[in-house]
């Protein structure tokens, strides 16, 4: 698939997508290859919580196409460390672990906690130098959204180093007043911060956390369609990741975004339709797993 931007979901390993993105009988071992046939990038949420084995990385390398992008999140032992100067060995070990994926890991993602404030920007500069790989950073401390010197200092650091500032847009999520447990859980976990569209490199990064009703997202997506189209027209290749509260409809929202972007950008290639294997092919996949 040759798209002028990267489009994906928070993960690929979601059994709830059987019957929509994946065939109903597809074993979990077939999820990644199916996912890669439709989308060309994925958030690496899994690496935030657990280090994958070397064997798993090797398997991913055989299944992810060369042009695919896996935005691996630095493990929380790194991102939530009390001092980033003290985790250099972990940073290098994680970089080495993912080396078999080559250029597919571009950029790495650093998701910093709300406790990481302006006084620690020197630590962030140290991590950038230590990792020495394409990187995107998500910040959550309120001072980085106050339009003051603290935010300007962050932006200068990232711009000078060619590091992206990940933009998370949760407005659609928080526009919903439902008491649904999945929604309430998502609202309790996701930050409610001002939106900061940024393009500090050739690969701007957007995380859009949507409303559980697909059509309710359209008014929130509309400005992003224009922004992403503008980035593409200027020669950038943005990354766009779509979430829903429990992510059951994340692939549907991603496809909805692409369909609407195609209206703004005539000639945009369509996404490949999910391939539905025969029962015999599914049996073979299960045997291989």
């Amino acid at each position: 698939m040759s798209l002028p931007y990267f489009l994906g979901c928070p993960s690929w390993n979601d059994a709830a997508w059987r019957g929509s993105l994946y065939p109903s009988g597809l074993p979990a071992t077939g999820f990644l290859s199916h996912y890669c046939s439709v989308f060309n990038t994925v958030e690496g949420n899994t690496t935030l919580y657990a280090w994958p084995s070397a064997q798993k990385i090797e398997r991913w390398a055989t299944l992810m196409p060369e042009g695919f992008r896996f935005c691996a999140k630095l493990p929380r032992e790194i991102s939530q460390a009390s001092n980033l100067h003290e985790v250099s060995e972990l940073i290098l070990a994680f970089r080495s672990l993912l080396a078999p994926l080559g250029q597919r890991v571009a950029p790495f993602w650093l998701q910093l906690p709300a406790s990481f404030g302006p006084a620690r920007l020197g630590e962030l500069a140290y991590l950038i130098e230590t990792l020495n790989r394409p990187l995107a950073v998500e910040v959550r401390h309120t001072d980085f959204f106050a339009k003051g010197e603290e935010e300007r200092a962050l932006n200068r650091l990232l711009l000078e180093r060619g590091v992206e500032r990940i933009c998370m847009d949760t407005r659609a999520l928080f526009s919903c007043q439902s008491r649904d447990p999945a929604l309430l859980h998502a609202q309790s976990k996701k930050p409610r911060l001002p939106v900061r569209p940024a393009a500090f490199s050739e690969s701007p990064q957007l995380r859009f956390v949507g409303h559980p009703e697909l059509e309710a997202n359209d008014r929130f997506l509309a400005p992003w369609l224009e922004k992403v189209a503008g980035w593409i027209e200027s020669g950038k290749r943005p990354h766009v990741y779509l979430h829903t509260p429990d992510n059951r409809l994340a692939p549907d929202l991603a496809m909805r975004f692409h369909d609407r972007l195609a209206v703004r950008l005539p000639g945009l290639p369509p996404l490949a339709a999910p391939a539905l294997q025969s029962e015999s092919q599914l049996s073979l996949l299960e045997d291989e797993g």
Side-chain angles (χ1 to χ4, degrees):
M1 176 175 56
S2 179
L3 293 178
Y5 76 118
F6 291 101
L7 176 68
C9 301
S11 69
W12 67 76
N13 194 26
D14 197 324
W17 299 344
R18 285 192 179 106
S20 55
L21 183 64
Y22 304 141
S24 297
L26 186 68
T29 51
F31 286 179
L32 178 55
S33 58
H34 249 69
Y35 180 93
C36 293
S37 72
V38 178
F39 299 112
N40 59 359
T41 188
V42 70
E43 282 189 26
N45 275 335
T46 180
T47 58
L48 178 67
Y49 301 105
W51 291 56
S53 67
Q55 293 76 17
K56 185 170 287 187
I57 294 295
E58 292 288 352
R59 180 174 182 272
W60 291 350
T62 66
L63 295 174
M64 292 177 180
E66 285 293 332
F68 190 84
R69 292 293 177 265
F70 176 58
C71 292
K73 291 185 180 179
L74 291 167
R76 55 187 171 180
E77 296 96 319
I78 297 171
S79 59
Q80 297 181 20
S82 59
N83 188 331
L84 296 180
H85 289 100
E86 298 174 355
V87 292
S88 57
E89 290 186 5
L90 289 178
I91 295 167
L92 295 174
F94 186 67
R95 189 183 74 180
S96 177
L97 175 65
L98 269 64
L101 293 174
Q103 293 303 310
R104 298 175 187 87
V105 184
F108 283 81
W109 274 18
L110 174 65
Q111 186 173 295
L112 293 169
S115 60
F116 189 100
R120 300 181 65 186
L121 284 181
E123 295 176 41
L124 177 56
Y126 175 79
L127 181 144
I128 293 170
E129 293 172 4
T130 303
L131 181 64
N132 193 28
R133 291 291 186 277
L135 177 68
V137 176
E138 181 182 303
V139 292
R140 298 188 176 187
H141 194 286
T142 54
D143 283 352
F144 292 135
F145 296 86
K147 297 186 177 180
E149 180 52 36
E150 294 85 356
E151 182 170 5
R152 288 190 288 272
L154 168 70
N155 290 343
R156 281 196 300 269
L157 171 64
L158 299 181
L159 183 60
E160 290 169 359
R161 308 301 176 90
V163 172
E164 273 304 338
R165 178 174 177 173
I166 298 168
C167 178
M168 175 177 275
D169 186 350
T170 59
R171 291 174 294 185
L173 172 69
F174 285 103
S175 73
C176 186
Q177 302 301 314
S178 166
R179 304 304 296 173
D180 176 74
L183 175 76
L184 294 176
H185 178 74
Q187 290 177 337
S188 72
K189 294 293 185 181
K190 295 294 188 289
R192 192 172 190 174
L193 293 164
V195 175
R196 291 289 188 269
F200 293 160
S201 75
E202 296 306 303
S203 301
Q205 309 279 312
L206 168 63
R207 300 179 72 205
F208 181 94
V209 188
H211 193 286
E213 298 173 8
L214 289 179
E215 61 277 7
N217 290 291
D218 290 348
R219 68 187 179 95
F220 297 98
L221 286 175
W224 285 115
L225 295 171
E226 189 62 33
K227 176 64 72 174
V228 170
W231 281 333
I232 293 171
E233 289 172 334
S234 70
K236 299 183 186 302
R237 199 169 185 198
H239 289 227
V240 180
Y241 301 93
L242 285 301
H243 301 231
T244 55
D246 60 4
N247 286 321
R248 183 177 61 84
L249 295 177
D252 303 81
L253 186 58
M255 294 176 189
R256 190 179 186 90
F257 179 88
H258 186 79
D259 289 344
R260 281 151 180 75
L261 185 62
V263 175
R264 171 60 177 77
L265 292 174
L268 185 71
L271 295 180
L276 301 178
Q277 284 109 329
S278 67
E279 290 301 318
S280 60
Q281 288 173 310
L282 293 177
S283 296
L284 284 173
L285 276 172
E286 200 157 22
D287 291 343
E288 291 173 0

